[in-house]
């Protein structure tokens, strides 16, 4: 039986090779740097350099060098004007963000997002979880002095906090998510400001775990 008209006869491996050769970023207007910018502009979350390298068909080291060069260019380090946006590494990847210097301007534009902002109670609860994770809901309540059940649910629904395990008592342990790092513009929890010493040790809150697990 003959192959359908237009069929190439390539197997999966050959088809993949053909797809890889479908374009060469060097032939595109602006070259690899412009192609990298085009991908970053449509990314709604940080993209690892390895993934960007795969998409562009370039060595990872070359893409990482391009990322750092673009980041410096956007900051105006090459003598050009600083841009209203910047390229940052956060949450395990790279993404374009609005520059902090223009936060007030952007804030005025995003007025319809006011209702979606976290309350002071949610921010305080998130801070306790970030600095003392893994931590139980009861321990967070003990630190804050109020019930945080609904607040923790809100943080979980926003993707900032997630369940990371359980204590022997059965109490659920919570920790922050990669999305939390992304929103904070950090790559690791090690970048958190040194605030933890001002929070009580979790060892002093062990009784709280047992009470929570019994509920």
């Amino acid at each position: 039986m003959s192959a359908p008209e237009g069929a190439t006869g390539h197997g999966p491996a050959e088809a993949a090779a053909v797809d890889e050769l479908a374009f060469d970023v060097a032939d595109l207007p602006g070259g690899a740097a412009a192609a990298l910018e085009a991908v970053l502009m449509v990314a709604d979350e940080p993209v690892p350099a390895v993934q960007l390298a795969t998409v562009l068909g370039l060595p990872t080291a070359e893409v990482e060098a391009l990322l750092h060069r673009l980041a410096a260019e956007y900051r105006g380090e090459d003598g050009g004007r600083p841009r209203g946006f910047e390229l940052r590494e956060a949450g395990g990847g790279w993404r374009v963000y609005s520059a902090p210097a223009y936060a007030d301007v952007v804030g005025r534009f995003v007025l319809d997002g006011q209702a979606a902002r976290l309350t002071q109670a949610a921010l305080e609860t998130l801070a306790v979880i970030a600095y003392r994770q893994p931590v139980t809901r009861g321990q967070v309540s003990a630190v804050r002095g109020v019930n945080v059940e609904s607040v923790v649910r809100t943080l979980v629904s926003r993707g900032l906090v997630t369940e990371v395990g359980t204590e022997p008592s059965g109490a659920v342990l919570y920790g922050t998510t990669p999305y939390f790092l992304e929103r904070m513009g950090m790559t690791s929890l090690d970048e958190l400001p040194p605030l933890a010493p001002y929070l009580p040790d979790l060892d002093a809150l062990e009784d709280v775990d047992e009470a929570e697990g019994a509920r």
Side-chain angles (χ1 to χ4, degrees):
M1 181 176 177
S2 60
E5 184 178 354
T8 61
H10 292 302
E14 291 82 2
V18 170
D19 182 63
E20 290 176 359
L21 298 176
F23 66 87
D24 185 338
V25 291
D27 296 332
L28 298 175
L36 181 57
E37 288 177 317
V39 173
L40 290 169
M41 286 298 176
V42 299
D44 57 3
E45 60 184 22
V47 186
V50 173
Q51 183 179 350
L52 291 169
T54 300
V55 171
L56 300 179
L58 296 173
T60 301
E62 182 176 344
V63 170
E64 289 178 337
L66 276 173
L67 288 165
H68 286 287
R69 193 184 81 193
L70 288 174
E73 178 183 330
Y74 298 158
R75 291 192 297 267
E77 294 181 5
D78 60 350
R81 67 172 179 83
R83 310 294 177 83
F85 55 88
E86 61 183 22
L87 178 59
R88 294 205 311 264
E89 186 176 12
W94 291 80
R95 185 183 177 189
V96 173
Y97 298 85
S98 60
Y102 308 100
D104 290 341
V105 177
V106 174
R108 291 190 64 180
F109 175 73
V110 193
L111 290 177
D112 59 347
Q114 291 286 342
R117 290 186 178 180
L118 293 176
T119 63
Q120 185 65 30
L123 289 172
E124 292 174 3
T125 299
L126 181 58
V128 175
I129 294 174
Y131 280 98
R132 283 297 185 231
Q133 60 185 301
V135 64
T136 68
R137 192 175 56 203
Q139 290 171 335
V140 178
S141 294
V143 172
R144 294 203 55 235
V146 296
N147 187 297
V148 297
E149 182 175 354
S150 62
V151 177
V152 170
R153 281 202 303 267
T154 296
L155 294 174
V156 171
S157 68
R158 296 284 186 90
L160 297 167
V161 167
T162 188
E163 296 181 6
V164 296
T166 57
E167 288 279 31
S169 63
V172 176
L173 289 166
Y174 292 91
T176 53
T177 64
Y179 180 63
F180 166 79
L181 291 177
E182 176 192 339
R183 298 300 297 174
M184 293 294 291
M186 300 184 301
T187 59
S188 167
L189 292 172
D190 294 335
E191 297 177 32
L192 284 169
L195 175 66
Y198 297 97
L199 295 174
D201 290 333
L202 295 185
D203 291 342
L205 304 175
E206 288 182 350
D207 293 342
V208 175
D209 295 340
E210 296 179 1
E212 182 180 345
R215 288 205 299 267

